[in-house]
Amino acid sequence: MKPLPSFRKAVWLNEPRLQQVMAVITRGGGEVRVAGGAVRNALLGVPIADVDLATTMLPTDVMRVCKAAGFGVHPTGFDHGTVTVVNGGIPFEVTTLRRDVETDGRRAMVAYTSEWAEDAMRRDFTMNAMYCDAAGKIYDFTNGYGDLLRNRVRFVGDAKMRIKEDYLRILRFFRFHARFGKGGPDKIGLAACAKLKSGLKKISAERIRQEMFKIVVAPRAVPTLKIMAASGVLRKIIPYTDDWRLIGRLPDDAVLRLYCLAKKPDDLKQDLRLSNAEAQRIDDLGTGPDLSPKLKMSEQRTMLYHLGGQAWTDSVELGWASGRASKRDKKWRALLDLPKHWPIPKLPINGQDLLEAGIASGPYMGEVLRSLEDWWVASDFVPTREELLERLKHDA
Ligand code: ATP
Ligand code: MG
């Protein structure tokens, strides 16, 4: 087995604000270590999103000593032992070591412990169950490092039991496989996910959304989605198309990819609790025109003007991915980049101008304004405000 490296000299670990928080907890009598994702990513040499800390100190004490040290302190997940400590603008989630005593497949009742190994046992995958102390020493109770080196997402303990404690772990299994896995997923884990997939119905749409948004943009999204489909897991989430080629050709944008994955994109709004802006993108994708580099420049501008930047970008990406053109195709690239070179102009007159020209507000005013806009657009956005006002006088 490869010996565990040390992070004694690692830049991320020696970040002063992190070291300060760890020092304050240590001085207060707690043991504290970096836990989970940060250790995993550091071992892989990939960027670290946020640094989570685990400690033997109880949450109330974490709050007390950190407040006294002048850090910002927020009881963000106090019931399960998490306090967010902010030092110099960086938030650290500090969670007291715990073991899960009772679970209902969604939430766990927790009991605090001072045993690191116990805390490791309640974590989902071996690669997520490692710790690193302030001096850079790594603690690995579950052979997470070995699994990480083999790109293997493996449940801590008995896969079926762990899934029954929290069915979301089914999706987390695929999410981490899509991000860190190579080759096929762990057979035991996969079989357990397939067998227990019905339990996903217990999981809230918000939590499912979080995982799905990450799965579809992970580096190995398509092969992983195929495995999710073959194992019957995916159909527990959404009815899906199997247009894998198209999905694989899309940029790594979750809304675009989900739109193409879903058999009924409209249902995504409810099923994955899309925001209003995301729902709007789904609508626009459904009604958008077919865009292609064959369009004349004036047609392109007109369409961009009417669609707006986001819907334009989405429609171009969809059109590009649907066809055969390479990802390096210069004409498609130029089409996609049009909003960068041609900022959408604003009609240089408005209702106020019409009022001043003696047109009463109401439906008629709307009509006049629209016909001026049509003329302006059809004239390739060239007419100036003066020319529009002139035309208005003429027509009114
Ligand atoms: P990311 O970089 O995607 O945030 P992460 O490993 O930090 O990856 P999180 O979802 O932020 O993932 O969770 C932080 C840690 O908490 C995990 O590494 C894991 O140890 C533990 N964890 C999170 N969710 C669960 C869960 N549902 N069951 C068991 N352990 C979990
Ligand atoms: Mg995280």
Side-chain angles (χ1 to χ4, degrees):
M1 214 166 65
K2 219 176 150 187
L4 285 163
S6 159
F7 285 129
R8 193 163 57 90
K9 294 189 179 145
V11 173
W12 68 271
L13 181 63
N14 290 297
E15 208 293 319
R17 286 165 291 186
L18 168 60
Q19 285 288 334
Q20 281 158 9
V21 172
M22 293 181 91
V24 162
I25 295 173
T26 308
R27 272 203 297 280
E31 280 182 274
V32 60
R33 297 175 186 167
V34 177
V39 182
R40 177 199 65 219
N41 287 14
L43 285 168
L44 285 171
V46 303
I48 294 164
D50 31 38
V51 175
D52 298 328
L53 298 174
T55 180
T56 55
M57 185 180 269
L58 291 175
T60 44
D61 296 327
V62 172
M63 296 203 45
R64 185 174 45 78
V65 299
C66 288
K67 235 183 234 162
F71 303 145
V73 174
H74 311 277
T76 42
F78 200 77
D79 294 341
H80 56 261
T82 302
V83 173
T84 299
V85 176
V86 185
N87 181 14
I90 308 188
F92 300 97
E93 282 196 3
V94 183
T95 304
T96 304
L97 300 192
R98 54 181 232 221
R99 76 191 125 88
D100 297 334
V101 280
E102 201 185 296
T103 53
D104 60 1
R106 279 173 296 181
R107 285 177 293 264
M109 296 273 296
V110 304
Y112 298 125
T113 171
S114 47
E115 294 299 324
W116 289 92
E118 271 188 325
D119 187 75
M121 295 321 258
R122 62 103 185 154
R123 292 180 184 268
D124 46 10
F125 307 110
T126 61
M127 65 169 63
N128 287 348
M130 289 179 278
Y131 307 86
C132 169
D133 66 21
K137 181 172 178 197
I138 296 172
Y139 301 81
D140 179 10
F141 302 95
T142 63
N143 189 28
Y145 189 49
D147 289 331
L148 195 63
L149 292 179
R150 290 186 304 133
N151 304 92
R152 171 131 316 199
V153 180
R154 201 165 55 81
F155 281 95
V156 173
D158 182 78
K160 281 200 215 102
M161 260 170 56
R162 303 314 309 286
I163 292 172
K164 284 182 194 162
E165 289 166 5
D166 178 3
Y167 287 96
L168 188 74
R169 290 176 188 156
I170 295 176
L171 294 185
R172 291 179 62 87
F173 175 77
F174 291 108
R175 156 151 73 106
F176 288 108
H177 178 70
R179 187 149 149 227
F180 301 115
K182 254 188 209 144
D186 177 61
K187 285 208 174 63
I188 296 171
L190 178 60
C193 289
K195 181 148 192 217
L196 297 170
K197 56 184 181 286
S198 297
L200 279 168
K201 62 176 176 292
K202 292 193 180 196
I203 301 299
S204 73
E206 285 78 8
R207 292 183 83 202
I208 291 192
R209 171 209 158 91
Q210 277 186 3
E211 298 298 324
M212 286 306 293
F213 264 64
K214 290 181 178 170
I215 291 173
V216 297
V217 299
R220 294 173 50 80
V222 170
T224 302
L225 287 166
K226 281 185 188 169
I227 297 165
M228 290 174 71
S231 61
V233 169
L234 190 53
R235 90 183 128 76
K236 297 288 175 191
I237 310 289
I238 44 165
Y240 56 91
T241 65
D242 31 30
D243 210 345
W244 308 122
R245 177 186 172 275
L246 171 62
I247 297 164
R249 279 173 55 90
L250 288 167
D252 56 1
D253 177 284
V255 173
L256 264 177
R257 289 190 172 193
L258 285 165
Y259 172 82
C260 292
L261 178 66
K263 205 160 218 165
K264 299 185 209 139
D266 236 23
D267 290 357
L268 290 172
K269 296 176 194 167
Q270 262 306 310
D271 295 350
L272 297 185
R273 297 287 189 276
L274 298 191
S275 69
N276 290 340
E278 289 159 353
Q280 183 65 52
R281 289 180 63 191
I282 297 289
D283 287 340
D284 290 344
L285 277 160
T287 55
D290 283 337
L291 296 178
S292 101
K294 292 201 184 93
L295 293 168
K296 287 201 234 85
M297 188 47 88
S298 61
E299 294 171 326
Q300 291 183 19
R301 287 183 180 145
T302 302
M303 285 181 172
L304 171 54
Y305 177 77
H306 288 300
L307 287 170
Q310 179 71 65
W312 169 269
T313 304
D314 284 346
S315 282
V316 174
E317 293 285 14
L318 185 61
W320 192 351
S322 303
R324 310 230 135 250
S326 130
K327 272 275 108 187
R328 281 185 293 276
D329 189 283
K330 291 212 174 67
K331 289 184 182 141
W332 276 101
R333 171 61 54 191
L335 195 68
L336 187 65
D337 286 347
L338 180 62
K340 283 192 206 149
H341 309 301
W342 189 75
I344 299 174
K346 216 172 156 293
L347 183 65
I349 56 166
N350 58 28
Q352 188 59 38
D353 297 310
L354 270 63
L355 277 177
E356 281 165 18
I359 298 171
S361 59
Y364 177 67
M365 177 192 272
E367 252 171 62
V368 174
L369 196 58
R370 243 185 321 276
S371 92
L372 283 167
E373 182 183 31
D374 288 346
W375 173 72
W376 177 68
V377 172
S379 319
D380 208 13
F381 310 92
V382 171
T384 59
R385 176 178 163 79
E386 287 65 40
E387 286 166 322
L388 279 156
L389 292 173
E390 193 53 39
R391 188 176 171 90
L392 172 61
K393 249 191 257 159
H394 212 77
D395 288 3

